[in-house]
Coordinates of all heavy atoms in Angstrom, one line a residue:
S536 N 30.0 -32.0 4.1 CA 30.7 -30.8 4.5 C 30.2 -29.6 3.7 O 30.3 -29.6 2.5 CB 32.2 -30.9 4.4 OG 32.9 -29.7 4.8
T538 N 30.1 -25.2 3.5 CA 30.5 -24.0 4.1 C 29.3 -23.1 4.4 O 28.2 -23.4 4.0 CB 31.4 -23.2 3.0 OG1 30.5 -22.8 1.9 CG2 32.5 -24.1 2.6
V539 N 29.5 -22.1 5.2 CA 28.4 -21.2 5.6 C 27.9 -20.5 4.3 O 26.6 -20.4 4.1 CB 28.9 -20.1 6.5 CG1 27.8 -19.0 6.8 CG2 29.3 -20.7 7.9
L544 N 23.4 -20.0 0.3 CA 23.0 -20.0 -1.1 C 22.1 -21.1 -1.4 O 21.3 -21.0 -2.4 CB 24.3 -20.1 -2.0 CG 25.2 -18.8 -2.0 CD1 26.4 -19.1 -2.8 CD2 24.4 -17.6 -2.6
D555 N 11.1 -39.8 4.5 CA 12.2 -40.5 5.2 C 12.4 -39.9 6.6 O 12.6 -38.7 6.7 CB 13.5 -40.3 4.3 CG 13.3 -40.7 2.9 OD1 12.3 -40.2 2.3 OD2 14.2 -41.4 2.3
P558 N 16.9 -39.2 12.1 CA 17.2 -39.7 13.4 C 17.2 -38.6 14.5 O 17.6 -37.5 14.2 CB 18.6 -40.3 13.2 CG 18.7 -40.6 11.8 CD 17.9 -39.5 11.1
R564 N 21.5 -32.7 17.4 CA 22.8 -32.1 17.0 C 22.5 -30.7 16.4 O 23.1 -29.7 16.6 CB 23.5 -33.0 16.0 CG 24.8 -32.3 15.5 CD 25.6 -33.3 14.6 NE 26.8 -32.6 14.0 CZ 26.7 -31.9 12.9 NH1 25.6 -31.7 12.3 NH2 27.8 -31.3 12.5
A593 N -1.1 -36.4 15.0 CA -2.2 -35.9 15.8 C -2.3 -34.4 15.7 O -3.4 -33.9 15.6 CB -2.0 -36.4 17.3
Y614 N 2.2 -10.0 13.7 CA 3.2 -10.6 12.8 C 3.3 -9.9 11.5 O 4.5 -9.6 11.1 CB 2.8 -12.1 12.6 CG 3.8 -12.7 11.6 CD1 5.1 -13.1 12.0 CD2 3.4 -13.0 10.3 CE1 6.0 -13.6 11.1 CE2 4.3 -13.6 9.4 CZ 5.6 -13.9 9.8 OH 6.4 -14.4 8.9
W621 N -0.6 -3.8 3.2 CA 0.9 -3.8 2.8 C 1.2 -2.5 2.1 O 0.4 -2.1 1.2 CB 1.2 -5.0 2.0 CG 1.2 -6.3 2.8 CD1 0.2 -7.0 3.1 CD2 2.4 -6.9 3.3 NE1 0.5 -8.1 3.9 CE2 1.9 -8.1 4.0 CE3 3.7 -6.7 3.4 CZ2 2.7 -9.0 4.7 CZ3 4.6 -7.6 4.0 CH2 4.1 -8.7 4.6
R630 N 3.5 -9.6 -3.8 CA 2.8 -10.0 -5.0 C 3.7 -10.9 -5.9 O 3.2 -11.9 -6.4 CB 2.3 -8.8 -5.7 CG 1.4 -9.2 -6.9 CD 0.9 -8.0 -7.7 NE 2.0 -7.2 -8.3 CZ 2.4 -6.0 -7.9 NH1 1.8 -5.4 -6.9 NH2 3.4 -5.4 -8.5
G642 N 1.4 -23.6 -11.1 CA 0.4 -23.6 -12.2 C -1.0 -23.3 -11.8 O -2.0 -23.6 -12.4
A649 N -9.6 -22.3 -5.0 CA -9.6 -23.6 -4.4 C -8.2 -24.2 -4.5 O -7.7 -24.9 -3.6 CB -10.7 -24.5 -5.1
A680 N 13.5 -10.5 22.6 CA 13.5 -11.9 22.5 C 13.1 -12.4 21.1 O 13.5 -13.5 20.7 CB 12.5 -12.5 23.6
L688 N 16.5 -19.3 14.8 CA 15.8 -19.9 13.7 C 16.7 -20.0 12.4 O 16.8 -21.0 11.8 CB 14.5 -19.2 13.3 CG 13.7 -19.7 12.1 CD1 13.2 -21.1 12.4 CD2 12.5 -18.7 11.9
T702 N 14.4 -27.1 5.3 CA 13.5 -26.6 6.3 C 12.5 -25.7 5.6 O 12.6 -25.2 4.5 CB 14.2 -25.8 7.4 OG1 14.9 -24.7 6.8 CG2 15.1 -26.6 8.2
P713 N -4.1 -21.8 19.6 CA -4.8 -22.6 20.6 C -4.6 -24.1 20.4 O -4.5 -24.9 21.3 CB -6.3 -22.2 20.5 CG -6.2 -20.8 20.0 CD -5.1 -20.9 19.0
V714 N -4.6 -24.5 19.1 CA -4.4 -25.9 18.8 C -3.0 -26.4 19.1 O -2.8 -27.4 19.8 CB -4.7 -26.2 17.3 CG1 -4.3 -27.6 16.9 CG2 -6.1 -25.8 16.9
A732 N 9.2 -27.0 9.5 CA 9.2 -28.3 8.9 C 10.7 -28.6 8.6 O 11.5 -27.8 8.1 CB 8.4 -28.3 7.6
H740 N 9.3 -33.2 -6.8 CA 8.2 -32.4 -6.8 C 8.4 -31.2 -7.7 O 9.5 -30.6 -7.8 CB 7.9 -32.0 -5.3 CG 6.5 -31.4 -5.1 ND1 6.2 -30.1 -5.5 CD2 5.4 -32.0 -4.6 CE1 4.9 -29.9 -5.2 NE2 4.4 -31.0 -4.7
G744 N 12.3 -26.9 -8.0 CA 13.1 -25.9 -8.8 C 12.7 -24.4 -8.5 O 13.3 -23.5 -9.0
R749 N 16.4 -12.1 -4.7 CA 16.8 -11.2 -3.6 C 17.2 -9.8 -4.2 O 17.7 -9.7 -5.3 CB 18.1 -11.8 -2.9 CG 17.7 -13.0 -2.1 CD 16.8 -12.8 -1.0 NE 16.5 -13.9 -0.1 CZ 15.5 -14.8 -0.4 NH1 14.8 -14.7 -1.5 NH2 15.3 -15.8 0.4
S754 N 20.6 -1.8 -3.1 CA 19.3 -1.4 -2.8 C 19.0 -1.2 -1.3 O 18.0 -0.5 -0.9 CB 18.2 -2.3 -3.4 OG 18.2 -3.5 -2.6
R763 N 30.6 12.8 8.5 CA 29.4 13.4 8.0 C 29.2 14.7 8.7 O 29.4 14.8 10.0 CB 28.2 12.5 8.3 CG 26.8 13.1 7.8 CD 25.7 12.2 8.1 NE 24.4 12.8 7.6 CZ 23.2 12.2 7.8 NH1 23.2 11.0 8.4 NH2 22.1 12.8 7.4

Side-chain angles (χ1 to χ4, degrees):
S536 178
T538 67
V539 173
L544 291 173
D555 310 46
R564 177 177 176 274
Y614 175 73
W621 289 80
R630 183 181 65 250
L688 178 62
T702 57
V714 175
H740 196 280
R749 293 295 182 272
S754 73
R763 182 179 180 182

